[in-house]
Amino acid sequence: MYAGKSQGLKRVIWVGSSKKDLLQLPARVVDVFGYALFLAQTGGKHAQAKPLKGFGSAGVLEIVEDWEGNSYRAVYTVRLPGHVFVLHAFQKKSKRGASTPGKDLDLIRKRWKVAEELTKEMKA
C-alpha cells in the first residue's frame, strides 16, 4: 500500500498491488486513469466513472478505457472520508459482455474491506 498527498487534495491510498498494476498498463490508459483519480482527489468525477454494480451504496466507481482493441478498468472509492482508495487496476481479458469478471470482483471486495479497516485505524 502506498499513500500520496498533495496540498488541498484528498489523499490517494493504493490498496494491495493497485499502483503497480496500474503502472503496467499502456501509457495512454495510465493517463486517463490518473486524470480520473486527480478529479476524484479534488471532489470531481471523470465522465467515464460509473458506479460498479454489486457494491450498493458503497460508492465504488469504475473507469473503463478501451485502447487498441483491449479493455482496461480502474476501480476506486471516495466514499471513505478524506481519501481516494484505489482498489484495483487491470486489463479485462474476458470477451463475454461488459461485466467485470468474478475474480476481479472478489479482489475488489477484499480490498474494499481493507480500505474500511484502514479508515478505522486512521481515525483511532
Side-chain angles (χ1 to χ4, degrees), residues 2-112:
Y2 170 78
K5 183 176 182 170
S6 294
Q7 199 169 13
L9 300 175
K10 289 183 180 180
R11 184 176 177 189
V12 174
I13 298 182
W14 303 87
V15 183
S17 62
S18 59
K19 184 173 186 178
K20 182 185 87 156
D21 297 340
L22 176 73
L23 294 175
Q24 291 179 353
L25 303 179
R28 168 151 163 54
V29 175
V30 172
D31 288 347
V32 171
F33 292 166
Y35 180 62
L37 293 172
F38 170 74
L39 289 175
Q41 283 183 281
T42 64
K45 182 177 161 193
H46 194 280
Q48 291 171 232
K50 307 267 189 270
L52 182 60
K53 292 179 182 169
F55 286 85
S57 63
V60 176
L61 301 171
E62 177 179 52
I63 307 163
V64 177
E65 178 67 11
D66 295 324
W67 176 249
E68 295 187 345
N70 295 305
S71 184
Y72 301 90
R73 313 280 175 101
V75 179
Y76 67 95
T77 185
V78 294
R79 185 64 70 186
L80 300 168
H83 300 88
V84 176
F85 285 92
V86 183
L87 304 174
H88 194 25
F90 62 102
Q91 179 182 352
K92 183 178 175 285
K93 304 262 183 182
S94 171
K95 301 298 181 192
R96 286 183 256 138
S99 63
T100 303
K103 72 177 184 72
D104 291 299
L105 287 174
D106 291 343
L107 181 61
I108 293 164
R109 282 186 190 94
K110 286 178 188 171
R111 290 182 177 176
W112 168 253

